[in-house]
Amino acid sequence: MNYEPVIGLEVHVQLLTQSKLFCGCSTKFGEEPNKNTCPVCLGWPGSLPVLNEEALKLALKVGLALNCEISGRLKFDRKNYFYPDLPKAYQISQYDNPVNGKGWLEIEYKPNKAVILSPDAEASKMENPEAQGDSQKVQDDKKMITKKIGITRAHLEEDAGKLLHEGIAAASLVDYNRAGTPLLEIVSEPDLRSPEEAYAYLTSLKAILQYLEVSDCNMEEGSLRCDANVSIRKAGESKFGTKAEIKNMNSFKAVQKAIQYEIKRQTDLLESHERVIQETRLWNETKGQTFTMRSKEEAHDYRYFPEPDLVPFSISKETVEGIRKDLPELPVQRVDRFIKNYSLSDYDALVLVQDKQLANYFETAVAEKANPKLASNWIQSELLALVNSNKHTVETLPKFFPATYLAELLGLIENQTISGKIAKDVVAISYESGKSPGTVVKEKSLEQVTDTKLLESAADKIIAAHPKSVADFKAGKRQALGFLVGQLMKETQGKANPKLANEILVRKLS
Amino acid sequence: MSFEIEKIAGLARLHLKPEEAAKLKNDLEAILGYVKKLETLDTQNVSPTSHVLEIENVFRPDQVNPSQVRDEVLKHAPGREGNFFKVPKVVDK
Ligand SMILES: [Zn+2]
């Protein structure tokens, strides 16, 4: 039996404000426990919340970038439940008049190969295009898939506090520093059909949020969190199956893996004629499985009602248009520009653009006269590999190997001072030592040997030393030439101009 | 009108004695009865009220204004450990 997965994602993103959503407490991460609290966010009777204007503006920016309907009429509601991380026993959220209504987001990916953004350990494994501009890249044999994913809504709400359980017997500890921090909950339609589409959605969304500068999007610090609703149904069926809500993933890769696991689990259940139960499940990264969340709580009954402590809000068309006018260049526009101005492939443009800092690095190098196509290839292969193997980040790349260095290096290749092969060594040395590629080439005398006399005498030596290969070549075996060129390269420590070496050998052997 | 007073009390974490439950059930029934009466009114052309005051758009600027109430609050907390509030162990959500 064939099954089709149906996936929807709920992303909570912390908005980059100085103060909390409804009070003047700082939103700074990593402070002493409970330092950033006040009567409002601790829910003291008699205290009144007042909306942070900047948080609303940031929310609207996201809404506009996600093509959301913005009615301009919004209010806040109480979502009631008891839990120690919620000091008031309700969360101020939005129920029926959210800031941002229906919208959409376009994802673009290659099947079986979602674009890896931040250079994690897998990035270099996923992408290792040859460094030379003319060599065909593996990933180009598959077409990019573009798909519109619906956004149900994106609403404002306050975050809860943080509970600590580990190592404490019979008690939990509570830190309310995070309670009241502005969150935007972005809910997708159940339009995603595979773990890789979910991954592509998250990377696109994260890129948009970073370009808008509305959030750090740091999953480790919890400024971006993602829950997944997963169900499966028989192929061709229009009704949805019973869904499970998956929580506790702390990276995009984990989201992808958790969904993958969940699809398999549900498929196995249906195949053995069992039922999928509607429940919340937690992803266990170490075990690579999802587990039922044991909870004695009764089914949630949040009893939403309008928050009487906050007045309603109406935002004028002019305000919304003013924010729209000030939106920065968004990833999708930058991708178009990269394709148009720099003749990059869709895929290359997307990989660069989805990481804002990487795209900035690329554009700096190009401004320094680097060949765009070569710059893109070198960034995606050698440079990201160095960043990964040193456990650095794209953010610190310019510190170790400034974009001006990349332009210089590509210049050295283009004017044939060094070969592409030697250039790889130069990058590594340069990255390590901080010396510019030009300096490295000079200090280590890595200039390509284009001295014909020198190459000819080396060629004579090789021909004399390998009579069998010479005979093979003369008998018509082309591979023998490759061997002899290799020997000549070796003789010159890789510095011979390969084209010249080839020519000289062919001339001498015919 | 059917509702379970025990369920509502449970959601609000109220522990009611049987006589209290009976009294509250009567009160709630009376309130809901009145609401039923209101529902007979024609509200076709009335927009829903979400707030009783006729004001809107009350904002505060995004400025940090530390309150420094932590130590005072922790002093009154039923349990503390260092600068944390201490509560009975809860299973993770
Ligand atoms: Zn506060």
Side-chain angles (χ1 to χ4, degrees):
Chain A
M1 181 74 70
N2 264 332
Y3 295 96
E4 177 188 53
V6 175
I7 304 153
L9 297 179
E10 282 171 23
V11 171
H12 284 88
V13 54
Q14 243 174 47
L15 297 175
L16 265 181
T17 54
Q18 300 295 313
S19 63
K20 291 186 180 179
L21 188 52
F22 299 114
C23 63
C25 290
S26 165
T27 52
K28 211 170 139 205
F29 182 80
E31 291 270 42
E32 269 177 47
N34 293 304
K35 186 159 185 261
N36 299 336
T37 55
C38 76
V40 175
C41 56
L42 287 175
W44 285 9
S47 64
L48 281 176
V50 186
L51 181 63
N52 183 335
E53 189 163 19
E54 179 66 12
L56 177 60
K57 197 179 154 193
L58 297 181
L60 286 166
K61 272 172 110 173
V62 178
L64 288 168
L66 295 178
N67 314 290
C68 290
E69 288 165 13
I70 294 168
S71 75
R73 283 175 36 84
L74 59 115
K75 69 174 175 74
F76 289 88
D77 301 273
R78 290 189 183 179
K79 180 180 178 179
N80 300 279
Y81 65 93
F82 282 92
Y83 209 71
D85 63 4
L86 206 59
K88 302 190 289 288
Y90 60 83
Q91 177 192 27
I92 304 180
S93 180
Q94 296 196 284
Y95 186 62
D96 52 355
N97 285 323
V99 192
N100 305 304
K102 272 189 182 308
W104 53 268
L105 159 67
E106 198 170 80
I107 61 167
E108 206 176 351
Y109 69 103
K110 276 199 188 200
N112 304 317
K113 197 169 225 169
V115 173
I116 299 288
L117 291 185
S118 53
D120 59 15
E122 273 141 324
S124 57
K125 261 188 277 166
M126 298 277 294
E127 296 312 324
N128 201 4
E130 270 303 300
Q132 298 291 343
D134 51 2
S135 54
Q136 189 58 36
K137 280 188 283 163
V138 194
Q139 75 254 15
D140 278 339
D141 55 7
K142 269 187 186 150
K143 280 199 80 155
M144 298 287 282
I145 291 177
T146 309
K147 191 173 164 183
K148 230 184 212 185
I149 305 298
I151 302 287
T152 313
R153 56 191 280 152
H155 69 257
L156 271 171
E157 62 184 29
E158 56 177 348
D159 206 348
K162 222 170 157 174
L163 285 167
L164 285 94
H165 311 281
E166 267 133 66
I168 315 142
S172 295
L173 302 182
V174 201
D175 175 6
Y176 289 123
N177 280 346
R178 212 179 58 187
T181 296
L183 291 182
L184 193 71
E185 180 176 336
I186 304 162
V187 184
S188 89
E189 291 286 303
D191 288 348
L192 301 159
R193 291 290 173 270
S194 67
E196 59 184 350
E197 281 192 8
Y199 189 92
Y201 171 86
L202 289 172
T203 45
S204 300
L205 181 60
K206 181 179 171 181
I208 291 170
L209 297 171
Q210 282 183 329
Y211 275 74
L212 291 173
E213 295 180 343
V214 297
S215 175
D216 285 338
C217 298
N218 184 335
M219 273 190 114
E220 269 155 40
E221 288 184 4
S223 60
L224 190 150
R225 282 165 259 161
C226 175
D227 301 335
N229 288 311
V230 182
S231 66
I232 59 169
R233 61 183 173 191
K234 282 178 196 162
E237 184 95 42
S238 61
K239 233 180 80 193
F240 290 150
T242 308
K243 68 178 179 189
E245 188 182 6
I246 321 295
K247 290 174 178 276
N248 200 38
M249 292 81 81
N250 59 6
S251 70
F252 289 179
K253 278 265 135 201
V255 174
Q256 195 176 354
K257 281 190 283 181
I259 293 172
Q260 191 96 55
Y261 174 85
E262 193 54 26
I263 292 169
K264 169 95 173 53
R265 186 187 71 87
Q266 295 184 13
T267 307
D268 290 348
L269 279 175
L270 294 191
E271 284 290 279
S272 52
H273 305 287
E274 288 179 63
R275 280 189 319 134
V276 176
I277 305 162
Q278 177 153 1
E279 60 178 347
T280 303
R281 300 179 68 88
L282 295 182
W283 169 247
N284 182 314
E285 180 74 32
T286 346
K287 296 207 170 95
Q289 294 173 9
T290 62
F291 293 94
T292 300
M293 194 179 81
R294 272 177 307 147
S295 166
K296 286 183 196 132
E297 271 180 280
E298 60 265 43
H300 286 306
D301 182 350
Y302 293 127
R303 295 151 295 146
Y304 282 96
F305 65 85
E307 166 59 272
D309 288 346
L310 285 161
V311 298
F313 297 85
S314 64
I315 309 149
S316 70
K317 279 223 156 54
E318 295 79 67
T319 308
V320 174
E321 288 316 308
I323 295 171
R324 192 198 299 276
K325 227 181 65 217
D326 286 345
L327 287 181
E329 182 184 40
L330 291 170
V332 62
Q333 294 153 348
R334 203 174 192 187
V335 164
D336 286 347
R337 188 163 61 79
F338 274 24
I339 294 170
K340 219 175 106 210
N341 293 5
Y342 307 128
S343 311
L344 297 183
S345 70
D346 293 10
Y347 182 84
D348 287 343
L350 192 66
V351 173
L352 292 174
V353 166
Q354 284 196 332
D355 188 318
K356 191 180 170 188
Q357 277 154 341
L358 206 58
N360 290 348
Y361 182 90
F362 167 79
E363 289 214 281
T364 313
V366 171
E368 296 286 335
K369 311 260 179 307
N371 171 312
K373 185 76 194 153
L374 282 178
S376 160
N377 288 344
W378 277 80
I379 289 170
Q380 289 180 58
S381 54
E382 297 307 311
L383 294 185
L384 280 186
L386 278 167
V387 166
N388 290 330
S389 64
N390 284 292
K391 297 207 163 55
H392 292 158
T393 59
V394 171
E395 203 179 338
T396 58
L397 172 60
K399 246 175 51 198
F400 293 96
F401 195 79
T404 49
Y405 280 19
L406 178 59
E408 188 179 318
L409 179 87
L410 298 180
L412 291 172
I413 301 173
E414 281 186 306
N415 68 22
Q416 303 204 353
T417 307
I418 53 171
S419 66
K421 195 166 172 300
I422 290 285
K424 291 189 189 185
D425 299 335
V426 174
V427 174
I429 297 166
S430 191
Y431 193 96
E432 200 80 15
S433 65
K435 289 177 183 163
S436 79
T439 311
V440 171
V441 168
K442 253 194 215 104
E443 280 183 6
K444 308 237 167 202
S445 325
L446 295 170
E447 291 93 344
Q448 207 157 206
V449 178
T450 47
D451 179 337
T452 321
K453 274 216 181 89
L454 207 136
L455 287 179
E456 284 193 2
S457 73
D460 289 339
K461 210 167 133 193
I462 297 299
I463 289 170
H466 300 282
K468 184 161 184 319
S469 299
V470 172
D472 283 350
F473 177 72
K474 290 191 169 158
K477 283 194 185 161
R478 293 293 299 177
Q479 312 95 289
L481 179 64
F483 171 78
L484 292 169
V485 172
Q487 290 303 308
L488 183 55
M489 294 302 290
K490 214 165 152 191
E491 178 72 23
T492 55
Q493 287 93 46
K495 291 185 289 186
N497 177 317
K499 209 171 144 224
L500 206 54
N502 207 62
E503 276 168 22
I504 288 172
L505 276 169
V506 170
R507 180 154 39 81
K508 283 191 182 291
L509 292 174
S510 49
Chain B
M1 232 153 297
S2 92
F3 59 87
E4 282 177 62
I5 194 77
E6 291 79 15
K7 192 190 167 210
I8 295 169
L11 284 168
R13 299 292 194 272
L14 292 174
H15 304 281
L16 302 177
K17 291 180 195 136
E19 59 270 27
E20 287 172 324
K23 185 181 179 302
L24 281 167
K25 190 170 162 53
N26 278 336
D27 290 352
L28 272 176
E29 265 165 7
I31 292 165
L32 290 174
Y34 180 64
V35 171
K36 195 102 200 161
K37 203 162 139 194
L38 288 178
E39 276 175 356
T40 59
L41 291 171
D42 179 11
T43 54
Q44 198 74 50
N45 298 313
V46 182
S47 55
T49 308
S50 61
H51 202 276
V52 289
L53 299 177
E54 290 245 345
I55 38 171
E56 50 175 33
N57 298 348
V58 180
F59 293 108
R60 42 172 282 274
D62 183 24
Q63 269 162 21
V64 174
N65 187 10
S67 88
Q68 287 155 341
V69 294
R70 180 184 66 188
D71 297 334
E72 211 52 44
V73 177
L74 277 167
K75 240 188 257 172
H76 293 85
R80 72 182 282 182
E81 185 153 322
N83 288 320
F84 288 101
F85 292 94
K86 194 161 135 189
V87 298
K89 189 120 187 153
V90 282
V91 227
D92 216 310
K93 272 194 285 184

